[in-house]
Amino acid sequence: MASDLREHLVAFFEEQHKLVEAGALQLILTQNQPLILSKEVVERVGSASPFVTREIVEAALAGRRPARAVGGDLAAEAPTSARLSPALPFELLREGYTGPPVATQPIAAYEALFQSRFRQLARLLRGRPQLPGLSPVKELRAFEGGASVIGMVRAVRETPQRHHLILTVDDESGSIEVLVPRDSPGSRTTFLPDEVVGLHLEFAKGPGKLPRVASVERPDVPHARSVGRAPSGVRAIFLSDLHVGSRSFLTESWGQLAAFLRGEGPNPELAASIDHVVVAGDLVDGIGIYPRQERDLAIADVVEQYAELGRRFRELPERLTIVTIPGNHDAVCPAEPQPALPANVSTGWPGNVRILANPSTFALHGVVVEAYHGRSFDDLIPAIPGASYARPTDVMKRMLQMRHLAPIYGDRTPLAPLPQDGLVIDPAPDILVTGHAHTYGVDRYRGVLLLNASTWQSETEYQRMRNISPVPARAAVVDLANLGLVTLDFSGPSPVLVGAGA
Ligand SMILES: [Fe+2]
Ligand SMILES: [Fe+2]
């Protein structure tokens, strides 16, 4: 795992035409988020030198905020925003995709992925007072006052008669079965496969009795959030699922949106305050994504679909920065994290478009945005009792509690076996935006704005078959100074303000 990361970093520096000193590499490897640090280092060096020395890394670290406390508890998780500059309109913090898999054996590659997930999330749980007597699974002993473990949920089953839950959880040292009594507080939130949890255990007397889960801790986001770093009156607009190339792309609604952003609509002051457009994937409809899709396509060639998207982007004012990530309809490998779109499909796009991986974390004027397309809704919605496509923000809360966007392996969301799990939510965002559900949802959770951005495609026959009723042509306009939100509806003859706040 560590050597994979080392090779990956060396390859990264090579790509940037930098020779990295062994001591510098050593230091980078001991830090949190070594890849982001490496990017910072490269930015710092610029073209001044072909070398990256230990001194340069030390200088980059000195310029950062103090490192997060080792084994830090929730309270110690310093807000990322503390080191972000509101003066910088756009700052890329983390791309989920960190290059092609390095391990050659698929099993070893997936092991490295899950190890990376476990390590990243265990770090958020370690040191919490709710997890006293924390011990590796292998060293767990029955103590009078109980003990705690941090583990990845590998299996959940119900006992036939009493309907208690039996969890199998793993850490790096081993595997253990524990009992979650029916109707106990810990049983209220569904345990999802491959999520990482902290368990406080009590030991029942008697042979063969499983340790009982007294309480459950999830990585979660900190309670205390500080927002309001952006200058007042700066806003971003959030869209998703344009599906350009589809017969049901909403040409008129898009035209109205473009006119609104150009200041030709009823509220030019609001439009003028917007400087970023975020599009959360499914930029085009693609080809061969679902059975007999060709009947729904207005543009049958995928490169032509992207060229048309470029023309649509040109209808928006040039002063806007358009931030895009791909979705499952886009022309990149569907395994997540997905890489950014290849350059050959974006030739001819205007220069104000940023093409990022899915997911990506970036700061807009110091406000941290995590953008993820949302393919994992297809796995999480069936797995969580009561969850539905009509209320995707409920599932997004669960993502924040797990600090993971797509934990379930082996179902509908293919996971790429990268050495670093790029679907872990870190840093904790101020705004989590998704799409994919083709509905529209706004909610707040512990100060984080949850946004399921709407689609610019009306209903297709395929969606009807799957019983999804879309809520199209809504746009969320977010004030980055205070995360206040207004929703605009572009589905009628003229834009309508349909709601303020959440
Ligand atoms: Fe979509
Ligand atoms: Fe999608």
Side-chain angles (χ1 to χ4, degrees):
M1 164 69 211
S3 68
D4 288 347
L5 186 57
R6 172 185 291 269
E7 278 170 32
H8 187 71
L9 290 177
V10 170
F12 167 76
F13 283 112
E14 263 178 29
E15 243 175 60
Q16 306 292 324
H17 306 285
K18 298 279 181 246
L19 249 168
V20 61
E21 201 183 77
L25 196 59
Q26 205 73 42
L27 182 58
I28 292 171
L29 281 164
T30 61
Q31 304 297 316
N32 295 332
Q33 302 180 327
L35 194 67
I36 290 175
L37 175 60
S38 304
K39 285 182 184 164
E40 286 173 11
V41 167
V42 168
E43 269 171 31
R44 183 172 274 266
V45 178
S47 54
S49 160
F51 301 108
V52 173
T53 61
R54 193 179 170 97
E55 283 78 342
I56 292 172
V57 178
E58 278 167 356
L61 285 168
R64 278 180 153 192
R65 73 191 157 96
R68 184 181 290 166
V70 176
D73 62 1
L74 211 51
E77 194 185 341
T80 310
S81 45
R83 69 183 165 87
L84 295 174
S85 162
L88 267 182
F90 181 92
E91 221 177 324
L92 182 61
L93 301 176
R94 171 169 168 150
E95 279 190 290
Y97 185 78
T98 46
V102 282
T104 45
Q105 298 263 347
I107 292 176
Y110 278 106
E111 258 170 29
L113 170 72
F114 285 112
Q115 216 170 68
S116 161
R117 178 185 303 181
F118 178 79
R119 286 184 187 166
Q120 290 184 66
L121 294 175
R123 190 171 55 78
L124 297 174
L125 286 164
R126 230 170 271 137
R128 291 199 191 168
Q130 297 89 341
L131 296 172
L134 194 62
S135 126
V137 161
K138 204 175 156 194
E139 289 160 32
L140 194 64
R141 299 284 176 273
F143 289 118
E144 194 82 10
S148 303
V149 292
I150 295 171
M152 188 177 286
V153 177
R154 287 309 187 146
V156 185
R157 61 176 212 273
E158 214 175 276
T159 62
Q161 274 146 29
R162 306 222 170 140
H163 305 288
H164 300 311
L165 295 177
I166 294 179
L167 307 182
T168 310
V169 297
D170 294 1
D171 70 4
E172 290 169 297
S173 74
S175 183
I176 188 179
E177 284 198 332
V178 296
L179 182 112
V180 188
R182 185 173 67 148
D183 301 328
S184 68
S187 71
R188 276 180 214 143
T189 305
T190 312
F191 289 92
L192 291 169
D194 309 315
E195 72 166 317
V196 174
V197 292
L199 303 172
H200 181 53
L201 304 172
E202 283 166 355
F203 299 93
K205 291 206 172 67
K209 290 232 167 146
L210 296 179
R212 290 159 61 103
V213 173
S215 64
V216 181
E217 275 288 299
R218 287 191 164 79
D220 222 320
V221 288
H223 273 287
R225 316 275 310 142
S226 64
V227 291
R229 293 156 309 275
S232 65
V234 176
R235 293 184 173 83
I237 190 164
F238 292 84
L239 320 171
S240 191
D241 295 79
L242 308 184
H243 290 269
V244 167
S246 160
R247 272 183 212 286
S248 44
F249 173 69
L250 293 166
T251 310
E252 274 162 38
S253 298
W254 180 267
Q256 272 192 38
L257 170 72
F260 160 76
L261 288 170
R262 289 194 302 262
E264 296 160 17
N267 201 331
E269 301 78 24
L270 180 65
S273 70
I274 297 170
D275 71 353
H276 284 87
V277 181
V278 178
V279 192
D282 283 358
L283 307 175
V284 301
D285 207 45
I287 49 165
I289 308 292
Y290 59 85
R292 290 195 288 280
Q293 185 189 10
E294 56 283 357
R295 296 190 305 190
D296 297 335
L297 290 179
I299 304 171
D301 179 283
V302 76
V303 174
E304 221 2 81
Q305 291 178 1
Y306 282 104
E308 171 67 7
L309 174 62
R311 289 189 283 273
R312 295 292 173 193
F313 282 156
R314 278 187 196 282
E315 293 171 16
L316 311 184
E318 250 182 276
R319 63 178 171 82
L320 297 169
T321 300
I322 304 170
V323 185
T324 65
I325 61 166
N328 56 304
H329 279 250
D330 285 293
V332 287
C333 175
E336 297 186 355
Q338 294 180 287
L341 286 171
N344 67 322
V345 301
S346 60
T347 46
W349 283 14
N352 57 337
V353 184
R354 282 183 183 264
I355 302 167
L356 305 181
N358 170 41
S360 280
T361 313
F362 45 88
L364 304 180
H365 299 279
V367 174
V368 180
V369 179
E370 168 104 44
Y372 170 58
H373 176 61
R375 179 79 194 270
S376 70
F377 287 139
D378 297 346
D379 292 322
L380 293 170
I381 287 170
I384 300 171
S388 81
Y389 284 97
R391 291 187 54 89
T393 50
D394 291 348
V395 179
M396 293 166 74
K397 278 181 209 171
R398 254 328 244 115
M399 290 174 178
L400 288 180
Q401 289 164 354
M402 294 186 283
R403 290 291 286 265
H404 204 282
L405 297 165
I408 300 175
Y409 169 71
D411 223 320
R412 289 190 225 178
T413 312
L415 300 183
L418 306 184
Q420 192 176 10
D421 187 344
L423 294 160
V424 169
I425 301 174
D426 192 25
D430 299 310
I431 301 174
L432 174 60
V433 59
T434 59
H436 189 64
H438 288 217
T439 47
Y440 180 75
V442 180
D443 207 344
R444 308 219 180 227
Y445 174 73
R446 294 193 172 185
V448 182
L449 174 61
L450 306 174
L451 254 179
N452 181 250
S454 161
T455 176
W456 295 78
Q457 180 187 35
S458 62
E459 198 166 26
T460 64
E461 201 182 314
Y462 181 68
Q463 289 164 341
R464 258 195 298 276
M465 264 157 44
R466 294 178 65 200
N467 267 330
I468 298 171
S469 349
V471 183
R474 304 258 164 125
V477 179
V478 177
D479 185 334
L480 297 174
N482 55 20
L483 300 192
L485 174 141
V486 293
T487 301
L488 300 172
D489 180 353
F490 292 92
S491 64
S494 62
V496 183
L497 182 76
V498 288

